[in-house]
Amino acid sequence: MKIGFIGLGNMAKAIIEGLLLKKVILPADIIVHSAHASNYQPYAEKFSLKTAETNLAVAEQADVLILAVKPELKEEVLTEVKPALIQHKVALLSLLTGVTLAGLTEVVGSTFALVRVMPNLNVRIGVGVTAIAGNNVATESAMATTQSLFEQIGEVIRLPEADFSTFVALAGSAPAFAYLFMDALAHAGVKYGLSKNQALKIVSQMVVGSAQLIQQSGEAPWNLIDQVSSPGGTTIAGVLALQEAGFEPAITKAVDATIKKDLGE
Ligand SMILES: NC(=O)C1=CN([C@@H]2O[C@H](COP(=O)(O)OP(=O)(O)OC[C@H]3O[C@@H](n4cnc5c(N)ncnc54)[C@H](O)[C@@H]3O)[C@@H](O)[C@H]2O)C=CC1
Ligand SMILES: O=C(O)[C@@H]1CCC=N1
């Protein structure tokens, strides 16, 4: 299967590197084109990917086309590749945040499979979480192809399109929130004399372990919080200080703002 990428920015690179890491696709079966040859050519050479001179040329050679440009380029880029999509019935996988299947259909019509795909950056090392939703023309085979591709680089959830904005907040954008939390914690460690590297190593392992404990035990976070909090101890002092500082309202505000942006409000 040949996979075409239109746009070779952070997310396309994360997907490519995840797929190559898992050795599920040959570099020669990945075809890329992006805005600046001076940027994408060296990257393609480094990973032995195929390049194409235009977006249309990518679409003409691909079995699956991944649209990985900024959402505002939707119209320009889709208009360019539309002839190949219609002629070759290439499945189009759109990563564009905030662009609905109806919005894609407005530009390219609905005679071939359109799948909305929302991955997160962690696909780069094979531990992402990706939501997918297809249009009426997306057959079970097109959905299964998309699902198995992204399952190589993490978990895949088939989600009603109406829930995509919430998914963006909880998974697409949220790695940034998690990194922010981790950086803040490590920074505080620096305040008390640890080196930043040492603090980040401690914090990241703590987060990995905490996430795995939730997943493997099936216990609710509050149960686990109670198990960490010794009566009159350090943890409850920290938990209450976080609550007083508005930790949960701050998280909710972040989710509200992300959803609002995704919905274009
Ligand atoms: N970065 C992330 O964590 C996630 C991003 N997304 C979505 O993925 C898409 C790409 O995001 P990023 O990779 O972060 O953006 P980016 O800005 O890093 O990459 C966009 C790429 O498109 C290229 N480009 C610009 N004009 C072009 C054109 N006319 N033809 C072909 N390529 C062109 C740019 O040179 C750049 O390499 C966006 O729609 C975003 O909403 C979705 C989930 C997560
Ligand atoms: O910031 C953004 O708009 C994209 C979508 C999800 C993650 N990055």
Side-chain angles (χ1 to χ4, degrees):
M1 184 172 68
K2 302 223 180 284
I3 306 179
F5 283 85
I6 293 193
L8 192 62
N10 292 310
M11 187 36 70
K13 287 176 180 170
I15 295 170
I16 290 169
E17 286 167 38
L19 292 172
L20 292 179
L21 187 74
K22 293 292 169 109
K23 300 193 190 318
V24 288
I25 185 140
L26 295 171
D29 288 334
I30 298 177
I31 310 144
V32 299
H33 177 79
S34 198
H36 306 290
S38 56
N39 289 336
Y40 74 80
Q41 284 287 5
Y43 183 86
E45 272 166 36
K46 180 175 168 197
F47 289 97
S48 308
L49 312 177
K50 262 186 92 175
T51 58
E53 291 288 306
T54 62
N55 289 326
L56 182 60
V58 175
E60 278 167 344
Q61 298 170 62
D63 300 306
V64 168
L65 188 65
I66 300 188
L67 191 59
V69 293
K70 291 286 182 208
E72 50 273 23
L73 289 175
K74 170 192 82 172
E75 190 121 10
E76 175 188 325
V77 168
L78 283 179
T79 306
E80 208 182 327
V81 298
K82 188 174 169 179
L85 293 173
I86 292 171
Q87 202 183 338
H88 306 298
K89 303 260 179 244
V90 182
L92 178 71
L93 277 43
S94 166
L95 308 183
L96 309 197
T97 309
V99 176
T100 59
L101 291 167
L104 296 168
T105 303
E106 269 172 30
V107 189
V108 290
S110 58
T111 55
F112 51 87
L114 291 174
V115 186
R116 251 185 106 175
V117 177
M118 180 50 57
N120 69 9
L121 195 67
N122 300 333
V123 295
R124 194 163 93 193
I125 54 162
V127 290
V129 55
T130 300
I132 61 173
N135 69 348
N136 297 337
V137 189
T139 56
E140 179 48 35
S141 146
M143 293 302 287
T145 301
T146 308
Q147 179 159 349
S148 67
L149 184 66
F150 281 86
E151 271 174 355
Q152 306 298 334
I153 49 178
E155 301 274 324
V156 176
I157 299 172
R158 292 195 190 193
L159 202 65
E161 202 187 5
D163 292 327
F164 259 58
S165 296
T166 309
F167 185 86
V168 171
L170 267 56
S173 294
F177 311 156
Y179 305 145
L180 193 63
F181 166 73
M182 290 162 71
D183 199 71
L185 202 52
H187 219 182
V190 174
K191 179 178 176 191
Y192 289 97
L194 299 183
S195 74
K196 188 72 183 281
N197 277 349
Q198 201 178 18
L200 267 179
K201 198 170 168 196
I202 294 167
V203 166
S204 56
Q205 181 54 27
M206 177 280 293
V207 169
V208 168
S210 304
Q212 286 182 350
L213 187 54
I214 287 183
Q215 289 184 337
Q216 289 175 27
S217 70
E219 288 185 58
W222 268 110
N223 255 349
L224 297 167
I225 292 169
D226 283 346
Q227 290 171 43
V228 188
S229 303
S230 309
T234 55
T235 311
I236 191 67
V239 166
L240 290 174
L242 264 180
Q243 283 186 324
E244 198 186 332
F247 186 68
E248 188 160 353
I251 300 292
T252 310
K253 268 182 177 241
V255 170
D256 292 346
T258 311
I259 290 177
K260 213 170 152 189
K261 184 76 183 173
D262 188 70
L263 294 174
E265 289 169 4

